[in-house]
Amino acid sequence: MTVHPKNSVDWLLKPLKQVPLESATREVLGGKALKCWELAMNGFPVPEAAVISTLAYDAFTASIPGLQDDMRIGLHGSVDQVSSVVYRRDSSIMKLVSSFGREVLKRKKSIMTNPSLESEIRGDVAARVVVQSIQTRIQSANLSDELMAQIKGFVASFPAGTTFAVRSSGTYEDMAMASFAGQYDTYLNQKSVEDISRSVILCWASMWRNHVLEYRR
């Protein structure tokens, strides 16, 4: 989740070549879209594209009750804070108990020689359960009517039957020290507005996979 400087961006979607200079930052466009914008502005051939700003992602996650608080805890919370998120949700408790039991059985010999390892395992499992819950809630939500209308308008500017690719452009992607190559999802050959919109949500949800968070750490 991105915290924006005040008044830095006030749009949800723009064609790539129409992104204003003041919005051309990693914090607004993400790494991949920013590089494409720079290429386009310098005269290099870049396929027609639209960028969904990080403001749209923030507004989307804010529309899901309690999600942003859980996201902060999932990323930066203590073991106690993570566990408190789990125990607020009955379904998450069941997942925690089941996952914890499997992990304890798997590492039984290590726990016997180092009993404190059990608490560490409990924290790790709780964190995974919280992340899975975040991903599930993102996947179950819908885009705003405003963003849906803007996607529809962009798609309508192309001939009928045009196919689109929905790709990530995370704020941590394409950095000098970490490329994040292949970490997030890509969806190809998308035709309808509904398919494209669904792929946007799934692309956002792919940020909340355990292997992505481990890579980020």
Side-chain angles (χ1 to χ4, degrees), residues 163-167 185-191 195 199:
T163 58
F164 298 85
V166 177
R167 307 192 65 194
D185 285 351
T186 293
Y187 296 89
L188 305 176
N189 300 317
Q190 305 295 292
K191 292 184 178 180
D195 288 344
S199 295

Side-chain angles (χ1 to χ4, degrees), residues 132-150:
Q132 289 168 3
S133 170
I134 291 168
Q135 188 179 28
T136 298
R137 281 182 281 165
I138 290 174
Q139 291 171 338
S140 301
N142 297 309
L143 299 183
S144 67
D145 291 344
E146 182 181 4
L147 182 54
M148 284 288 290
Q150 292 182 24

Side-chain angles (χ1 to χ4, degrees), residues 7 34 44 48 68 74 77 79 85 90 104 142 152 158 172 179 182 201 216:
N7 299 326
L34 176 60
F44 290 91
E48 293 297 322
Q68 290 190 341
V79 171
V85 172
D90 292 342
V104 166
N142 297 309
K152 185 176 181 179
F158 293 85
Y172 283 83
S179 70
I201 292 172
R216 179 173 173 174

Side-chain angles (χ1 to χ4, degrees), residues 48-210:
E48 293 297 322
V51 184
I52 296 177
S53 72
T54 51
L55 174 66
Y57 173 72
D58 287 351
F60 171 81
T61 56
S63 72
I64 304 171
L67 183 66
Q68 290 190 341
D69 287 339
D70 288 358
M71 289 163 68
R72 292 187 189 94
I73 291 172
L75 286 174
H76 307 297
S78 66
V79 171
D80 288 343
Q81 288 174 318
V82 170
S83 298
S84 73
V85 172
V86 172
Y87 290 117
R88 287 204 305 268
R89 304 180 183 281
D90 292 342
S91 60
S92 293
I93 292 174
M94 295 305 297
K95 289 179 183 175
L96 173 64
V97 171
S98 177
S99 300
F100 177 66
R102 286 196 299 270
E103 195 69 22
V104 166
L105 287 174
K106 189 190 303 181
R107 301 170 69 178
K108 181 170 60 176
K109 290 183 179 178
S110 298
I111 292 172
M112 289 175 67
T113 57
N114 182 12
S116 65
L117 185 60
E118 183 173 339
S119 176
E120 181 181 326
I121 292 172
R122 190 185 302 277
D124 288 345
V125 170
R128 290 202 298 269
V129 169
V130 169
V131 168
Q132 289 168 3
S133 170
I134 291 168
Q135 188 179 28
T136 298
R137 281 182 281 165
I138 290 174
Q139 291 171 338
S140 301
N142 297 309
L143 299 183
S144 67
D145 291 344
E146 182 181 4
L147 182 54
M148 284 288 290
Q150 292 182 24
I151 292 173
K152 185 176 181 179
F154 178 74
V155 171
S157 68
F158 293 85
T162 300
T163 58
F164 298 85
V166 177
R167 307 192 65 194
S168 64
S169 182
T171 55
Y172 283 83
E173 280 187 294
D174 294 341
M175 298 178 72
M177 301 301 294
S179 70
F180 275 76
Q183 296 298 308
Y184 304 139
D185 285 351
T186 293
Y187 296 89
L188 305 176
N189 300 317
Q190 305 295 292
K191 292 184 178 180
S192 70
V193 172
E194 291 73 21
D195 288 344
I196 292 169
S197 301
R198 180 63 183 160
S199 295
V200 168
I201 292 172
L202 294 177
C203 199
W204 282 342
S206 70
M207 294 169 55
W208 291 92
R209 289 184 176 153
N210 285 297

